[in-house]
Amino acid sequence: MGVHHQIIVVGSGLSGLRAALEAKKNGLDVAIISRVQPVRSHSIAAQGGINAALGNASEDSTNSHAFDTVKGSDFLADQDAVEVMTQEAPGIVYEMEHWGTPFSRTKDGKIAQRPFGGAAFPRTCYATDITGHALLHTMCERSVYEGIKVYEESLLLSVVRSDNSVCGIITLNIKTGEIESFSADSVIIATGGYGRIYGNSTNAIINTGSGMAFPYMTASVPLKDLEFVQFHPTTLYGTNILMTEGARGEGGYLRNKNGDRFMKNYTPNVMELAPRDIVARSIQTEINEGRGFDNAYVHLDLTHLGREKIAERLPGIRDICIYFAGLDPVEKPIPIQPGQHYSMGGIACNKDCETEVSGLYAAGESACVSVHGGNRLGGNSLLDTIVFGKRAGHYAAIYLKSKPKKDCTTAIDAELKRVKAKVNALENSTGKENPSKIRSELKAMMVTNAGVFRDKAKLEAGVVKIKELKERYKTIHLLSKSKKFNLDLLRNLELEGKLVLAEVILKGALMREESRGSHFRTDFPTRDDAKFLKHTIAYHTEDGPKLEYRDVNISKFTPEARKY
Ligand SMILES: Cc1cc2nc3c(=O)[nH]c(=O)nc-3n(C[C@H](O)[C@H](O)[C@H](O)COP(=O)(O)OP(=O)(O)OC[C@H]3O[C@@H](n4cnc5c(N)ncnc54)[C@H](O)[C@@H]3O)c2cc1C
């Protein structure tokens, strides 16, 4: 029955590593399965920072952090989970500092904090503009020190369950091409986002969402709030590489083709420091109404910040502009446009990271706890990964102590056989369809039909398109027959998951006849708390998602109109 570990964590980004460290601290046998070597996980790309109410730049409080997060979420976040995240934030940042993260400092030596959109005070702790790099290396070093076992180049294909509890997982060993099984008493999913379903994404190409899609398809784990897709306002025109929110936090301006700082017409009190959903819509409106450049982009202007400040606070952004756009932001404004950036939705779980399947936990961007609701504030995701990664490891360890022993051999062997047959069929496929066409049509459709602005007609057309693409997927052929490192096989296994997730996004958005956070319907432009102050829960069926709705946890903060 393959290898056994007490706890298997899938994913070696910040959330997966933190979960594994916590499980290990509890004396358990824990191993990580990851598609890539840990420091190649997408957490490495995070630029701007991590939020915690340390009060180093001005007054602040965890209550203020909680309120800003709930308001930023357009009141869809679960307030019990937000309380946990914001209260644990200072301790999490100090722990990372003690483990070695080189945070930028104030003149008197405290951890420096910069303003981010939607925050009442400068609350975002940072390491210049490579915060994710600094945090992930720290976390990796810690996990090497603790001797955490990592199975690299291994792709999760299936989560095995028997009755209502988890038994283990089935994977593709990318190095050998073998399909393998791992049994475990508990499994933690920490596989990051699905950005690459969209054509204009800030995400790495490994962010395909397969770690959400396969548990949903194989173990019937429901997904929550997938229609809430974050579009970052400032991605580099042409490549969609992120230009961190820290650039606006440090004083950058947004200008249209007339040179106007147009945010004065949308959020005059906070200008460029409104939350991301609002700034992204404002930029897209400028472009749509003919005030952008080439009907495609506006400018992020840092030239007034000066060479010294850019060198000190935004050196990575300057390098990216020089290498990828051939311009120096010290001298010239940066062409930017909104791009897909983050998945607010994910595997449905509660504040203890428990899913509906006993022993199966989720954390980080692949999970929906939910602390971001309809719109995530910048700096809250790195925090989410570490706080809830730690909690997932903790609660999985507690689960193990009370878990009755169960024999999973039959369930695992049956699923191993099924997955082997499926992969074998794909390897030997001879259909006419070129899968890369399906992939690029999917990406283009998602930008047009489920992008910054949505409506019934576009979403319905998107659902029809998905059905067509799913049919065509059944007749694809692989270009490579290699066993070792067959990236063609891997990408096309993941393509099935992408189609399934895209359908959940489209259907959830179609049913949500209101506008809330990142989900803006031009045909229903207002928020409708009477009908939709609810989470969307999607269950997998062969005919597409079955949607249900679940109440939001409201405690301290009564929903109110969201004004900035
Ligand atoms: C460019 C960019 C900049 C950002 N900047 C910030 C910022 O400044 N502040 C902030 O708060 N947030 C930021 N974010 C968001 C934040 O970085 C991510 O949400 C967060 O790092 C996700 O961490 P994670 O641990 O959930 O997943 P990841 O770091 O994405 O790791 C996922 C892991 O899962 C593995 N995996 C995936 N699928 C499978 C599979 N099927 N089988 C096996 N393994 C699998 C991968 O190998 C990887 O190890 C940024 C995001 C981007 C894209």
Side-chain angles (χ1 to χ4, degrees):
M1 190 178 56
V3 178
H4 177 82
H5 290 283
Q6 284 178 298
I7 296 186
I8 285 184
V9 180
V10 189
S12 60
L14 279 168
S15 55
L17 290 170
R18 191 63 190 85
L21 282 165
E22 198 61 20
K24 181 92 180 177
K25 192 175 132 194
N26 279 275
L28 297 170
D29 160 36
V30 55
I32 291 178
I33 302 285
S34 183
R35 194 183 190 291
V36 295
Q37 202 273 337
V39 286
R40 292 184 61 224
S41 301
H42 202 54
S43 295
I44 201 87
Q47 299 172 346
I50 175 167
N51 293 341
L54 304 184
N56 288 351
S58 69
E59 58 164 317
D60 202 355
S61 68
T62 54
N63 193 53
S64 172
H65 187 181
F67 176 71
D68 292 343
T69 301
V70 170
K71 182 178 170 188
S73 82
D74 227 345
F75 293 89
L76 193 71
D78 282 338
Q79 295 186 17
D80 55 344
V82 171
E83 287 279 316
V84 165
M85 181 176 82
T86 51
Q87 279 173 14
E88 291 198 6
I92 283 292
V93 167
Y94 292 141
E95 183 175 66
M96 291 308 292
E97 185 210 30
H98 292 172
W99 285 356
T101 304
F103 284 109
S104 296
R105 299 279 161 176
T106 62
K107 285 201 172 61
D108 54 355
K110 293 178 178 164
I111 293 174
Q113 297 186 276
R114 58 172 40 136
F116 256 37
F121 305 106
R123 184 179 290 142
T124 306
C125 313
Y126 57 96
T128 66
D129 53 3
I130 53 161
T131 313
H133 187 111
L135 290 171
L136 191 63
H137 275 268
T138 307
M139 197 77 92
C140 276
E141 281 165 16
R142 191 80 195 173
S143 63
V144 170
Y145 174 77
E146 294 292 348
I148 307 268
K149 165 97 183 146
V150 183
Y151 296 88
E152 293 167 12
E153 313 283 0
S154 225
L155 183 78
L156 170 83
L157 292 180
S158 172
V159 170
V160 188
R161 70 186 268 183
S162 168
D163 300 326
N164 192 38
S165 62
V166 76
C167 287
I169 60 172
I170 309 292
T171 61
L172 166 71
N173 183 328
I174 301 168
K175 285 182 270 194
T176 63
E178 293 306 316
I179 305 301
E180 297 174 339
S181 66
F182 291 82
S183 67
D185 303 315
S186 175
V187 173
I188 299 172
I189 305 287
T191 49
Y194 55 61
R196 286 292 161 160
I197 291 178
Y198 280 81
N200 61 343
S201 176
T202 60
N203 287 200
I205 52 168
I206 57 169
N207 283 23
T208 60
S210 60
M212 283 182 212
F214 292 144
Y216 170 71
M217 291 157 69
T218 58
S220 302
V221 189
L223 299 174
K224 194 202 290 178
D225 292 340
L226 232 62
E227 64 269 32
F228 291 99
V229 179
Q230 181 156 78
F231 299 93
H232 198 288
T234 59
T235 78
L236 190 61
Y237 175 60
T239 55
N240 297 109
I241 300 173
L242 186 74
M243 297 287 104
T244 174
E245 187 163 332
R248 283 174 286 132
E250 296 298 344
Y253 296 155
L254 289 169
R255 296 185 193 280
N256 62 21
K257 74 172 179 191
N258 305 321
D260 286 340
R261 277 181 73 192
F262 55 84
M263 287 309 297
K264 66 178 184 289
N265 303 323
Y266 301 94
T267 49
N269 297 327
V270 290
M271 296 294 284
E272 284 84 358
L273 287 179
R276 291 176 175 175
D277 56 336
I278 295 175
V279 184
R281 275 196 297 280
S282 307
I283 293 173
Q284 198 58 51
T285 303
E286 292 295 300
I287 296 168
N288 292 352
E289 295 182 357
R291 292 183 296 278
F293 299 87
D294 300 336
N295 292 323
Y297 62 90
V298 297
H299 276 156
L300 170 64
D301 187 356
L302 308 184
T303 53
H304 56 285
L305 299 184
R307 183 177 296 272
E308 205 179 315
K309 187 164 183 179
I310 291 175
E312 188 199 331
R313 304 283 175 85
L314 301 164
I317 291 300
R318 182 169 180 230
D319 285 347
I320 292 170
C321 288
I322 291 171
Y323 296 135
F324 290 92
L327 68 88
D328 187 343
V330 170
E331 289 156 7
K332 284 190 181 157
I334 309 167
I336 55 92
Q337 61 180 185
Q340 189 288 341
H341 182 60
Y342 184 80
S343 355
M344 263 79 70
I347 294 174
C349 59
N350 62 16
K351 68 181 190 326
D352 300 338
C353 306
E354 293 166 328
T355 70
E356 285 188 9
V357 179
S358 297
L360 184 68
Y361 295 78
E365 195 172 337
S366 56
C368 182
V369 168
S370 83
V371 280
H372 310 301
N375 171 64
R376 170 176 76 85
L377 295 187
N380 266 353
S381 169
L382 290 178
L383 179 61
D384 165 0
T385 61
I386 305 179
V387 168
F388 291 102
K390 181 177 173 186
R391 280 176 84 82
H394 174 76
Y395 285 101
I398 291 183
Y399 166 80
L400 241 71
K401 286 177 190 153
S402 61
K403 183 193 168 295
K405 286 274 166 256
K406 181 172 159 182
D407 185 4
C408 278
T409 316
T410 312
I412 291 194
D413 286 351
E415 185 60 0
L416 181 65
K417 199 169 157 204
R418 186 192 72 81
V419 175
K420 273 186 177 169
K422 178 180 163 171
V423 173
N424 201 258
L426 190 56
E427 283 170 332
N428 295 315
S429 58
T430 52
K432 283 200 203 96
E433 190 68 51
N434 178 349
S436 67
K437 280 196 72 198
I438 297 182
R439 199 174 298 113
S440 51
E441 285 177 40
L442 169 71
K443 286 173 160 191
M445 181 276 285
M446 289 303 280
V447 176
T448 310
N449 296 48
V452 177
F453 292 110
R454 301 155 173 200
D455 63 36
K456 185 169 191 259
K458 282 198 280 192
L459 291 166
E460 280 179 345
V463 172
V464 171
K465 181 73 183 174
I466 287 287
K467 290 219 179 315
E468 175 209 314
L469 295 178
K470 277 172 118 179
E471 279 307 307
R472 283 166 54 192
Y473 179 81
K474 290 178 187 161
T475 61
I476 61 172
H477 63 270
L478 292 196
L479 297 172
S480 169
K481 299 288 176 203
S482 160
K483 280 301 269 183
K484 295 178 184 171
F485 286 98
N486 189 339
L487 300 188
D488 190 28
L489 171 67
L490 184 145
R491 293 190 77 189
N492 289 313
L493 284 165
E494 291 195 306
L495 177 57
E496 183 189 11
K498 281 183 170 183
L499 291 167
V500 166
L501 290 188
E503 191 174 19
V504 180
I505 295 170
L506 287 159
K507 288 230 170 119
L510 185 60
M511 298 307 289
R512 190 173 279 278
E513 295 182 331
E514 64 155 358
S515 290
R516 184 185 298 270
S518 68
H519 168 73
F520 195 91
R521 290 275 303 252
T522 50
D523 45 354
F524 295 96
T526 50
R527 195 175 85 196
D528 184 349
D529 281 351
K531 283 199 198 135
F532 290 106
L533 186 54
K534 303 250 183 241
H535 295 297
T536 309
I537 307 291
Y539 288 89
H540 179 253
T541 78
E542 285 309 316
D543 303 325
K546 183 167 88 60
L547 301 184
E548 288 178 5
Y549 292 88
R550 205 170 282 170
D551 286 345
V552 175
N553 178 294
I554 309 274
S555 50
K556 261 192 197 162
F557 309 113
T558 309
E560 60 184 30
R562 190 166 161 244
K563 294 193 183 120
Y564 289 95

